[in-house]
Amino acid sequence: MKSAKPGNQPSAGKSQPLLQQLARTPDKLFGKAFGQQYGALCFRYKEAGSEIEVLVITSRESRRWIIPKGWPIKGKRPHEAAAIEAWEEAGVRGKAKKKPVGSYTYLKELDDGNVTPCIVELFQIEVTAVSTDFKERGQRLFDWVSPSEAARRVREIELKSLLVNFKPNAGKTRG
């Protein structure tokens, strides 16, 4: 299933929104297994308080707001892969929890223009260091926002719910 990329519009009369294409050929989308990805729900505490800020970044192609995520990495456990994605995509490091805080699904547009459904397991990372020198520097924007603002910015409904309801698990007691 191919989607139209901006600037790569099909000729007039042949243009179909992605969801219409999917509705007409569900076997192309749902006839195969879902892809597995690991995501990083990166957060930090605001100065001298218990309020948190969540990291959102833009995707490289469409520039929509997302969280750092990526495919499994050979030899790495899921929470480690999520931490690597956070470093490569946003230049942040921190303590990743081994147990996911939730998961969400979305449609991933592949490099060849095909679309595949993915399940993203989300791991919380309390950010302890931010660098300006990282692999995808200059390819994305990033912002630290409240969980409710993060939820407003992202497109995926399940991710919105995870963000708006996010409360860091265990660890330190803040006050």
Side-chain angles (χ1 to χ4, degrees):
M1 179 62 44
K2 295 203 180 218
S3 69
K5 290 193 180 222
N8 225 6
Q9 296 300 321
S11 59
K14 298 215 181 218
S15 177
Q16 297 177 337
L18 179 59
L19 291 177
Q20 286 179 347
Q21 291 178 45
L22 296 175
R24 289 189 182 107
T25 57
D27 56 310
K28 285 189 177 181
L29 182 61
F30 298 109
K32 56 186 175 187
F34 277 53
Q36 177 68 62
Q37 291 192 316
Y38 302 118
L41 199 166
C42 302
F43 74 97
R44 65 184 181 189
Y45 287 94
K46 287 187 172 183
E47 289 183 29
S50 59
E51 283 187 57
I52 61 167
E53 296 176 306
V54 173
L55 177 69
V56 290
I57 64 173
T58 57
S59 66
R60 289 184 290 184
E61 296 281 325
S62 68
R63 308 303 275 181
R64 65 186 177 83
W65 290 104
I66 61 171
I67 51 95
K69 65 184 174 306
W71 302 107
I73 299 171
K74 188 174 183 168
K76 299 294 181 189
R77 297 190 322 196
H79 71 282
E80 294 170 329
I84 290 168
E85 293 299 332
W87 169 250
E88 290 180 353
E89 295 180 1
V92 297
R93 293 193 192 273
K95 177 74 173 149
K97 293 285 185 180
K98 294 178 183 176
K99 185 177 178 188
V101 295
S103 63
Y104 69 97
T105 56
Y106 82 108
L107 297 175
K108 167 77 175 164
E109 186 173 341
L110 303 173
D111 290 340
D112 64 5
N114 284 316
V115 176
T116 190
C118 288
I119 298 172
V120 180
E121 277 188 272
L122 207 52
F123 296 87
Q124 95 175 25
I125 298 177
E126 182 174 355
V127 173
T128 55
V130 179
S131 176
T132 57
D133 186 22
F134 55 96
K135 185 176 179 179
E136 296 182 13
R137 180 176 53 96
Q139 298 177 35
R140 303 174 185 272
L141 300 174
F142 65 92
D143 203 1
W144 289 98
V145 296
S146 70
S148 59
E149 175 61 16
R152 189 188 69 73
R153 290 189 188 188
V154 300
R155 182 168 45 186
E156 299 80 11
I157 299 297
E158 296 160 311
L159 180 55
K160 286 177 179 288
S161 180
L162 287 166
L163 289 167
V164 80
N165 295 308
F166 178 66
K167 302 281 186 265
N169 289 336
K172 302 174 186 170
T173 303
R174 298 279 177 156

